[in-house]
């Protein structure tokens, strides 16, 4: 009887580990299936004017001689989020969204994360001469969980909206949605647009 109980317990533990591993591996797909983002208006964009911030960005680029010749928009989006994660710590109580101020305080909420990521993205687009074709903009957004507006009825407070970044091709109008605060916590690089 004890062998059967031990065997059953081992099977349950093994199954639990497998399920958790699958959830971890497919967390991005699961998140994109469940949560969609709606652009609810723009936020202020910031140019990087501070030399120390530009130096921080450049120091955090991969040491790869072929980067200048081979970089694409997907790498720009990834690098923008990675550099943001290295610089900022998430705090709901954070007050600033200006990247120059965030470099000092290092605390940011979703507004600050989006503003910082968009600024880094814009800087990288200029640095790699892709700014004629692409732009990075911080956006105020609404989240939809399985098609239901998660912000419905919320008039004030930190959950009335949620900021993210849109990388947009100026010619083709292709858009890449990224949520740097979700990237910080879950490692999810892309999010999906809400379709009405």
């Amino acid at each position: 009887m004890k062998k059967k109980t031990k065997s059953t317990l081992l099977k349950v533990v093994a199954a639990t580990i497998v399920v958790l591993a699958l959830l971890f591996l497919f967390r991005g797909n699961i998140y994109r299936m469940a949560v969609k983002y709606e652009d609810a208006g723009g936020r202020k964009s910031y140019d990087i004017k501070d030399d120390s911030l530009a130096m921080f960005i450049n120091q955090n680029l991969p040491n790869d001689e072929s980067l200048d010749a081979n970089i694409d928009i997907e790498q720009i989006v990834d690098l923008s989020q990675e550099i943001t994660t290295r610089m900022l710590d998430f705090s709901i109580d954070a007050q600033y969204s200006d990247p120059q101020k965030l470099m000092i305080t290092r605390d940011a909420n979703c507004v600050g994360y989006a503003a910082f990521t968009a600024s880094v993205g814009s800087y990288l687009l200029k640095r790699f001469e892709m700014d004629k074709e692409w732009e990075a903009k911080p956006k105020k957004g609404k989240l939809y969980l399985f098609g239901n507006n998660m912000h419905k009825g919320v008039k004030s407070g930190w959950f009335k909206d949620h900021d993210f970044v849109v990388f947009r091709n100026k010619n083709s109008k292709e858009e890449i949605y990224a949520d740097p605060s979700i990237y910080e916590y879950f490692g999810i690089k892309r999010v999906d647009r809400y379709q009405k």
Side-chain angles (χ1 to χ4, degrees):
M1 191 73 159
K2 286 184 181 180
K3 280 187 178 181
K4 198 170 192 180
T5 305
K6 229 179 196 181
S7 174
T8 304
L9 180 61
L10 285 175
K11 287 178 184 176
V12 168
V13 169
T16 302
I17 290 170
V18 168
V19 167
L20 291 174
L22 288 172
L23 287 173
F24 178 78
L25 290 173
F26 295 106
R27 68 190 179 279
N29 293 335
I30 294 166
Y31 184 83
R32 283 186 294 278
M33 181 185 72
V35 180
K36 306 292 184 197
Y37 288 65
E38 179 181 40
D39 181 347
R43 292 276 195 199
K44 181 177 181 180
S45 293
Y46 297 90
D47 289 327
I48 293 181
K49 300 172 187 167
D50 185 80
D51 289 339
S52 58
L53 183 50
M55 189 168 63
F56 178 81
I57 294 168
N58 289 322
Q59 288 173 342
N60 280 282
L61 293 176
N63 191 12
D64 182 357
E65 293 178 12
S66 67
L67 189 64
D68 285 324
N70 298 321
I71 196 161
D72 63 13
I73 189 61
E74 295 292 333
Q75 289 173 291
I76 295 280
V77 177
D78 291 346
L79 287 169
S80 299
Q81 293 188 105
E82 289 168 15
I83 291 168
T84 299
T85 297
R86 288 184 189 131
M87 174 60 73
L88 302 179
D89 293 312
F90 192 85
S91 171
I92 291 173
D93 300 324
Q95 299 176 10
Y96 301 110
S97 57
D98 182 336
Q100 274 67 242
K101 290 180 181 176
L102 292 175
M103 188 163 179
I104 296 165
T105 67
R106 298 202 179 227
D107 287 334
N109 55 25
C110 67
V111 178
Y113 265 73
F116 196 91
T117 301
S119 295
V120 171
S122 293
Y123 176 85
L124 292 175
L125 289 169
K126 285 179 191 163
R127 184 188 184 289
F128 292 106
E129 299 177 355
M130 295 172 66
D131 59 319
K132 299 275 188 276
E133 187 178 358
W134 288 92
E135 63 184 359
K137 297 288 183 187
K139 296 291 186 172
K140 177 175 32 173
K142 301 289 181 206
L143 299 180
Y144 289 81
L145 180 63
F146 297 110
N148 297 307
N149 185 343
M150 294 171 57
H151 307 275
K152 192 174 185 175
V154 179
K155 302 286 185 222
S156 64
W158 68 271
F159 197 65
K160 68 179 178 180
D161 50 43
H162 180 79
D163 284 37
F164 62 99
V165 181
V166 174
F167 289 81
R168 184 175 166 270
N169 186 300
K170 297 175 184 177
N171 302 318
S172 71
K173 310 301 183 215
E174 173 190 355
E175 293 181 330
I176 300 170
Y177 280 37
D179 184 340
S181 49
I182 291 296
Y183 176 77
E184 167 88 8
Y185 279 100
F186 302 110
I188 296 171
K189 294 182 177 185
R190 305 291 182 274
V191 294
D192 282 347
R193 180 180 185 176
Y194 175 71
Q195 303 289 335
K196 292 182 181 182

